Amino acid sequence: MDHTTRSGPSSASTTRVVDVLVPVALNQTYSYRVPRGMELVPGDVIGVPLGPREVVAVVWAENANPDPRLHNRLKDVSEKLDVPPLKPELRQLVDWVSNYTLSARGMVLRMTLRMGDNLGPERTRLGVRLVGEPPRRLTPARRRAIEVLSDRLLHGKSEAAREEAGVSSGVIDGLVDEGTLTVEAMPPPAPPPVPDPSYAQPDFSREQRSAVDVMRALAASGSFHVALLDGVTGSGKTEVYFEAIAENIRRGKQTLILMPEIALTGQFLDRFAQRFGVRPLEWHSELTPRTRARNWAAIAEGKAPVVVGARSALFLPYADLGLIIVDEEHDQAYKQDDGAHYHARDMAVVRAHIAKIPIVLASATPSVESEVNARKGRYQRVALPSRFGGQHMPHIEAIDMRRAPPPRGRFISPVLAEQIRHAIERREQALLFLNRRGYAPLTLCRACGHRFACTICDAWLVDHRFRQRLVCHHCGFSMPRPNICPHCAAEESLVAVGPGVERLQEEAAHIFPEARTMVLSSDLITSIETMRSELNEIAEGRVDIIIGTQLVAKGHNFPRLNLVGVIDADLGLSNGDPRAAERTFQLLNQVVGRAGREQGRGVGFLQTHQPEHPVIKALIANDREAFYASEIEIRERTGYPPFGRLASLIVSAGDRPTAEGFARKLAAVAPLDERIQVLGPAEAPLAVIKGRYRFRLLVKSLRNVDLSQYLREWLAAGPKTKGNLKLEVDVDPQSFL
């Protein structure tokens, strides 16, 4: 753990050495000398030379016994950054997550230092103000800039140029040189406003008041405790856990609210502002670098009382975190499947345990893991079994597609079409749900049977008619939709097979030509603001039929929506995933739960070819207990989570023999342990992605086995990857593709 020579004037006996963790894909720390006069303690954020570049890193520990022989080969710490040090609890979380997931510690640390070069005090921003007369040479660009600045207020220099006047920075500089404009330092941005816990306290139902009392007591306890806020759709879970946040604000502590899809939180932010007077601080990937740096600093300095963020917000350096809320805790989006593989819900519980603070998991359809923890008394269940305001839960019916099929080439059953027509006549909204993006999942040639497949993945190309392209949903490859078959040269022979939401909109427009339709699908959303604008259109009643993927299932409140039609309720039930039944139940329950939340009686129709399936029967009977009892019994009998543990090892290479050969060598040296099964290797269900051939080993163990340690010892003794071989380890996998 040393670097090339950079000798200094001090002797080995008087120089301090610290072990530093660098945010790169390495597990070990590096040793650096501390220059005289620099005060450093573990947790300090520093700049260090790493090879030819300078990187931001963190002091992880004091090196009390450095090897004197290496003294002159160590490099010096370059600088100590003017930001708060990472607290021991966050450094402990980094170590814990790395150890549990077998991810390099540096990669976990990287998630806490999201700012990179932007860490440290914010640079002074320059602004421009109109102070003098226009120049003699007045070009159209100069005229536009002067018009924008005619209010004689201070404008950000780059904003005035690019966004407001639409001119180059050179135009602004020229006006400064002419004396028309002057340059001044912009005042520093104001800190985020503090939410007021007493701003607008709502009226709660008797049922909600009981839950609110638990939430307030939980937040006031200031100790580790897990509560499962288990409430049906429309029961007011958000307003209830807001009271835990209010109590935490009164205690002067920070709150983190994790959400699975931060792009969908417009309504949530509005509801928060209605309750607390201001919006919380946001953290997600679409923030500008400057905003991210500013928010990171506010969080680290304790100036952000409430943060709402995507899963990465879990790793931010909170100054005084006192409460964590995980909304929609069952959602699959909490699993990170690239870089460090972790589940944000589970790691949030770990962070709460390390920090000794309470955590609330909220859901209308808890994960089987959380349900079992609540039944065993590990989590406190706080139940909201009925909707707020006396609204009824939606009535759900199955449409047996064997008896009431749609016309040939169509996908909406006549029964469902009739119900949609009645809803439109009543000036209510209808939602058609199909969890499949694009126009059609497959395109083939009628003449020769040729199917359009990705050139580098084991997957069909999806027809995206709005974009006029065939797209691979795994690697992003796309091509224009041709007019002739590339295999047999037949003209006008290509046919779309199966429905996607775009094709569903085409059918809805044909059946209901007078209706206003809108497609909500992640591939059609260009920005968060676009998404929020479209959701507002729906909420204001400017859309009659919403056609959407799972994007519409999460947390939205559509006041006029009373009918939901699920086009293919069987879609997720037979894909070989051990969680297929659970996910389908949760998704359909959430989707149908959008109906009838404010007025009238909601109704859901499930188009299905297997109405006798336990998931469909449980949904129709509104019998959640029957579903969980059945699913828990199956998991316990088969030893699947949460009654056993799983890990997935994916071996990939540029050719099939290399991937398969390495996977077989790896399986051959797996340590024998009667508590652990190693299954495979077998070709992964998606055998080729981005030109890489994939083989999977699945490791299955008893619940009480330290599976991470077993994997660590196995991989240490196994063959080493080289060349284009890659091994990915996923502890507690959520995806089985």
Side-chain angles (χ1 to χ4, degrees):
M1 299 192 302
D2 59 277
H3 290 281
T4 54
T5 302
R6 185 205 261 182
S7 59
S10 53
S11 67
S13 60
T14 60
T15 303
R16 284 178 61 206
V17 175
V18 289
D19 290 337
V20 171
L21 189 59
V22 183
V24 295
L26 295 167
N27 223 18
Q28 76 265 30
T29 55
Y30 286 91
S31 296
Y32 286 86
R33 295 180 310 198
V34 182
R36 269 205 191 129
M38 184 182 286
E39 296 292 328
L40 287 181
V41 296
D44 278 341
V45 184
I46 56 175
V48 295
L50 185 70
R53 60 196 178 107
E54 285 280 324
V55 298
V56 172
V58 176
V59 178
W60 218 245
E62 188 84 27
N63 189 327
N65 299 298
D67 187 338
R69 294 170 301 176
L70 299 178
H71 173 74
N72 286 332
R73 297 177 61 195
L74 298 180
K75 291 184 178 181
D76 287 346
V77 173
S78 304
E79 63 174 328
K80 177 183 175 181
L81 298 185
D82 186 17
V83 297
L86 300 194
K87 297 179 70 175
E89 68 185 50
L90 181 52
R91 303 200 308 275
Q92 190 178 339
L93 178 71
V94 170
D95 285 338
W96 200 99
V97 172
S98 168
N99 182 68
Y100 185 83
T101 64
L102 274 70
S103 302
R105 270 195 304 174
M107 293 303 288
V108 182
L109 175 67
R110 192 174 181 179
M111 294 189 287
T112 76
L113 302 176
R114 287 284 182 175
M115 308 330 309
D117 297 336
N118 293 314
L119 279 175
E122 187 169 353
R123 286 178 299 220
T124 301
R125 290 179 59 217
L126 297 178
V128 288
R129 188 195 303 272
L130 182 66
V131 292
E133 294 301 315
R136 277 178 296 183
R137 194 172 68 84
L138 197 59
T139 65
R142 284 181 164 188
R143 184 177 286 109
R144 285 201 305 276
I146 292 171
E147 286 173 0
V148 163
L149 296 165
S150 61
D151 56 14
R152 297 187 180 268
L153 298 176
L154 189 61
H155 293 242
K157 185 179 177 184
S158 58
E159 289 85 352
R162 284 196 313 271
E163 298 164 24
E164 299 173 34
V167 300
S168 70
S169 57
V171 171
I172 300 294
D173 291 337
L175 290 170
V176 171
D177 293 341
E178 295 273 4
T180 305
L181 307 180
T182 186
V183 177
E184 299 176 27
M186 297 282 288
V194 177
D196 179 0
S198 303
Y199 181 75
Q201 299 190 34
D203 293 325
F204 291 111
S205 66
R206 183 174 55 81
E207 196 176 76
Q208 286 177 320
R209 276 198 300 272
S210 174
V212 164
D213 290 343
V214 175
M215 289 291 110
R216 288 173 177 159
L218 181 85
S221 72
S223 59
F224 174 66
H225 187 79
V226 187
L228 176 62
L229 183 56
D230 179 3
V232 300
T233 53
S235 60
K237 292 184 292 298
T238 304
E239 285 72 18
V240 166
Y241 72 60
F242 275 173
E243 297 313 300
I245 297 170
E247 183 65 34
N248 200 49
I249 294 170
R250 292 187 183 99
R251 295 175 66 240
K253 301 281 189 178
Q254 290 174 297
T255 300
L256 165 62
I257 308 167
L258 286 179
M259 308 200 82
E261 300 279 355
I262 200 65
L264 313 182
T265 57
Q267 289 184 347
F268 174 86
L269 296 172
D270 291 340
R271 289 163 76 181
F272 188 95
Q274 288 164 11
R275 171 63 182 86
F276 294 104
V278 298
R279 286 188 164 202
L281 207 69
E282 292 184 66
W283 184 266
H284 52 79
S285 59
E286 290 207 18
L287 298 178
T288 65
R290 180 182 291 154
T291 302
R292 285 168 71 82
R294 192 177 295 153
N295 289 1
W296 192 97
I299 290 163
E301 293 164 7
K303 296 176 182 175
V306 182
V307 178
V308 58
R311 57 184 179 236
S312 61
L314 177 64
F315 293 93
L316 294 173
Y318 299 92
D320 195 7
L321 189 59
L323 174 68
I324 300 175
I325 310 284
V326 184
D327 204 2
E328 307 284 6
E329 65 86 25
H330 66 276
D331 199 286
Q332 195 177 351
Y334 282 123
K335 178 69 183 206
Q336 166 110 353
D337 282 325
D338 56 350
H341 294 247
Y342 69 92
H343 198 298
R345 176 200 63 218
D346 298 345
M347 297 306 108
V349 174
V350 171
R351 179 157 196 178
H353 184 264
I354 291 172
K356 300 181 176 58
I357 61 172
I359 179 169
V360 177
L361 311 179
S363 178
T365 51
S367 62
V368 170
E369 285 84 353
S370 295
E371 178 67 24
V372 168
N373 279 327
R375 292 186 180 201
K376 290 184 178 293
R378 298 188 195 108
Y379 295 174
Q380 177 185 6
R381 190 192 302 272
V382 182
L384 292 170
S386 55
R387 284 186 157 182
F388 180 70
Q391 287 299 109
H392 294 287
M393 292 299 293
H395 170 72
I396 303 176
E397 293 182 19
I399 298 175
D400 189 338
M401 297 293 276
R402 298 167 300 187
R403 298 180 178 175
R408 185 175 177 84
R410 297 286 175 82
F411 303 95
I412 299 173
S413 163
V415 176
L416 179 56
E418 187 66 20
Q419 295 297 328
I420 294 170
R421 186 169 285 107
H422 292 327
I424 293 172
E425 288 169 357
R426 294 192 299 269
R427 297 185 175 277
E428 295 174 352
Q429 288 172 324
L431 165 63
L432 295 178
F433 173 77
L434 177 63
N435 202 20
R436 193 182 272 150
R437 292 175 287 153
Y439 184 84
L442 172 65
T443 300
L444 59 76
C445 172
R446 250 191 317 247
C448 71
H450 172 72
R451 300 181 175 204
F452 285 81
C454 180
T455 57
I456 54 173
C457 295
D458 185 17
W460 306 121
L461 294 179
V462 178
D463 184 353
H464 283 254
R465 199 62 61 89
F466 290 179
R467 292 156 56 190
Q468 289 295 311
R469 297 191 76 82
L470 302 179
V471 181
C472 174
H473 285 178
H474 301 286
C475 72
F477 168 81
S478 71
M479 59 177 281
R481 191 175 188 275
N483 293 320
I484 63 171
C485 174
H487 192 255
C488 71
E491 296 184 14
E492 304 300 328
S493 65
L494 304 186
V495 57
V497 179
V501 283
E502 294 176 15
R503 191 172 194 179
L504 209 54
Q505 185 194 38
E506 186 177 275
E507 182 174 341
H510 178 80
I511 300 173
F512 313 105
E514 76 289 353
R516 298 163 296 178
T517 63
M518 177 182 286
V519 175
L520 287 182
S521 177
S522 59
D523 59 298
L524 301 175
I525 304 298
T526 55
S527 69
I528 290 178
E529 291 311 314
T530 301
M531 179 71 189
R532 291 174 181 170
S533 170
E534 292 184 344
L535 291 173
N536 284 338
E537 281 190 53
I538 295 170
E540 292 165 6
R542 287 185 273 157
V543 176
D544 300 310
I545 302 175
I546 309 145
I547 296 128
T549 62
Q550 64 179 1
L551 204 64
V552 300
K554 302 172 183 178
H556 305 304
N557 190 30
F558 302 136
R560 296 171 172 80
L561 177 63
N562 278 346
L563 184 148
V564 172
V566 177
I567 298 303
D568 189 350
D570 310 326
L571 189 58
L573 288 174
S574 55
N575 61 7
D577 186 333
R579 292 185 177 87
E582 175 189 5
R583 288 202 179 122
T584 301
F585 178 81
Q586 289 165 338
L587 182 58
L588 298 189
N589 192 295
Q590 293 276 341
V591 170
V592 174
R594 299 306 103 203
R597 293 165 70 95
E598 292 201 10
Q599 56 193 17
R601 178 73 188 270
V603 60
F605 293 94
L606 310 181
Q607 293 192 165
T608 174
H609 287 86
Q610 39 185 340
E612 67 287 343
H613 193 285
V615 168
I616 305 297
K617 288 171 70 174
L619 285 164
I620 291 168
N622 194 22
D623 192 349
R624 204 183 78 160
E625 288 305 306
F627 168 74
Y628 279 114
S630 167
E631 190 66 14
I632 289 169
E633 188 274 326
I634 292 169
R635 301 270 189 100
E636 191 165 19
R637 176 162 40 84
T638 56
Y640 276 102
F643 302 99
R645 299 200 49 211
L646 293 174
S648 171
L649 281 70
I650 296 283
V651 176
S652 65
D655 62 274
R656 194 178 190 279
T658 301
E660 183 175 13
F662 184 88
R664 294 197 180 283
K665 287 177 187 173
L666 188 62
V669 297
L672 295 176
D673 188 322
E674 62 183 14
R675 305 166 302 165
I676 298 174
Q677 285 179 279
V678 176
L679 308 172
E683 205 168 48
L686 274 173
V688 187
I689 293 183
K690 297 181 181 177
R692 297 185 65 82
Y693 291 78
R694 307 165 74 243
F695 279 79
R696 187 180 69 189
L697 295 102
L698 193 64
V699 187
K700 188 179 176 192
S701 79
L702 300 179
R703 181 71 200 165
N704 58 0
V705 170
D706 186 345
L707 188 55
S708 299
Q709 183 60 25
Y710 172 86
L711 292 168
R712 198 172 291 106
E713 292 173 1
W714 175 14
L715 298 180
K720 302 297 180 274
T721 57
K722 58 184 178 181
N724 68 357
L725 266 166
K726 186 179 178 184
L727 172 62
E728 283 188 84
V729 180
D730 187 0
V731 178
D732 303 334
Q734 297 290 310
S735 170
F736 290 84
L737 297 177

